[in-house]
Amino acid sequence: MHAKPVALVTGANKGIGFEISRQLASRGYTVALGARDERKGAEAASRLRHVGLDSDSVRLDVADPRSIAALPAYFKERFGRLDVLVNNAGIANDWGLKPSATPVESIREVFETNFFGAIAVTQELLSLLRQAPAGRIVNLSSGLGSLTLLSDPNSPLYGTNALAYNASKTALNAFTLALAKELRETPIKVNSADPGWVRTDMGGPNAPGTAEQGADTPVWLATLPADGPTGGFFSSRRPIPW
Ligand code: NAP
């Protein structure tokens, strides 16, 4: 069995996912970068290896059941273990659309990646994570998934009324909570992370934060000690309301 703990980060070829991978590898993890484009994944992993970080890439489209089904064999054959799963892959397609006019097909498309994709990857890898001494699952959510913040007229998020994206992250939070409750008696911790608004292809050039800052809370949750929290929703390492 591989000596170092092993992590899978989905959607890791760029943005926050790449930065989470870099930070986990810097902390001594062997990181498998999941990418739907095999070439982009291989290039991202080789950028990390160039600076001495232990990484590999694995083709993974979280909306494609066949690529998900191939994951357990990859981890078993290559490492014999999986310790950390970061469900980071995400899309948004409805900024500026009115909820009353958002095509149901667009909502389905976002849910396929942001919600069903995260569930399918987790279910496929759960038996490996159960064998790990300290399994950790981190779901990349968003403050926009918080119904409490979205319904507060004083919240800066109040005006971002993107039904497909926001609801997909609310649903992802529901998965976090439900799975954490199911796994309460195991060493596995399951938490949601809000990375904050950060400059990536999704966040755009006007976001105040860097990908490095956005990766901090997810990496903290991925490396929690045994007495750390489970079933929570965190931003800047602090709990935020569902
Ligand atoms: P990004 O720069 O657009 O990167 C998204 C990543 O997800 C890319 O690697 C993309 O791959 C991948 N991806 C998309 N669909 C996929 C699929 N079906 N299968 C596998 N990979 C897929 O976005 P980001 O800002 O880094 O966002 C990362 C996560 O943080 C997302 O879940 C997002 O919702 C969340 N988030 C971001 C912000 C922000 O301000 N940026 C705020 C709150 C939450 P390709 O390169 O192939 O497209």
Side-chain angles (χ1 to χ4, degrees):
M1 194 204 281
H2 196 67
K4 299 205 282 185
V6 175
L8 169 64
V9 181
T10 71
N13 52 285
K14 67 177 184 181
I16 298 168
F18 178 74
E19 183 56 30
I20 292 170
S21 304
R22 194 187 65 78
Q23 292 185 21
L24 283 174
S26 305
R27 286 167 176 240
Y29 287 73
T30 297
V31 183
L33 280 70
R36 56 183 166 176
D37 181 319
E38 210 163 2
R39 186 183 54 78
K40 287 183 188 167
E43 279 171 10
S46 101
R47 275 164 65 197
L48 293 183
R49 282 196 303 273
H50 267 15
V51 293
L53 298 173
D54 193 2
S55 68
D56 191 26
S57 60
V58 57
R59 202 192 82 75
L60 172 60
D61 180 341
V62 305
D64 173 10
R66 275 172 312 175
S67 84
I68 295 173
L71 287 173
Y74 166 79
F75 285 100
K76 278 183 207 152
E77 282 159 23
R78 195 154 177 101
F79 308 110
R81 67 188 289 178
L82 178 68
D83 301 77
V84 168
L85 168 61
V86 182
N87 287 308
N88 165 81
I91 56 169
N93 63 9
D94 62 333
W95 304 132
L97 289 188
K98 290 188 173 128
S100 60
T102 308
V104 170
E105 232 0 271
S106 303
I107 304 173
R108 269 194 233 283
E109 187 193 354
V110 172
F111 266 70
E112 208 56 64
T113 292
N114 296 9
F115 180 57
F116 296 117
I119 296 173
V121 171
T122 305
Q123 289 180 343
E124 195 69 52
L125 292 172
L126 195 57
S127 73
L128 269 168
L129 289 163
R130 280 181 185 276
Q131 293 162 37
R136 301 287 178 264
I137 298 169
V138 183
N139 293 325
L140 262 286
S141 181
S142 166
L144 292 169
S146 165
L147 294 177
T148 307
L149 297 177
L150 287 181
S151 56
D152 176 0
N154 295 316
S155 164
L157 303 181
Y158 185 81
T160 306
N161 205 15
L163 174 64
Y165 182 77
N166 296 1
S168 75
K169 296 300 187 179
T170 308
L172 182 63
N173 281 348
F175 175 53
T176 295
L177 185 58
L179 187 66
K181 283 172 15 183
E182 179 186 339
L183 298 177
R184 207 171 25 215
E185 306 304 330
T186 77
I188 300 177
K189 298 185 186 302
V190 190
N191 290 291
S192 276
D194 163 32
W197 185 20
V198 304
R199 286 188 297 281
T200 60
D201 286 349
M202 182 188 286
N206 298 324
T210 61
E212 194 174 342
Q213 290 165 334
D216 178 73
T217 296
V219 168
W220 170 67
L221 291 170
T223 57
L224 284 173
D227 62 353
T230 187
F233 183 20
F234 297 89
S235 187
S236 299
R237 301 192 182 199
R238 291 217 161 88
I240 60 168
W242 297 109

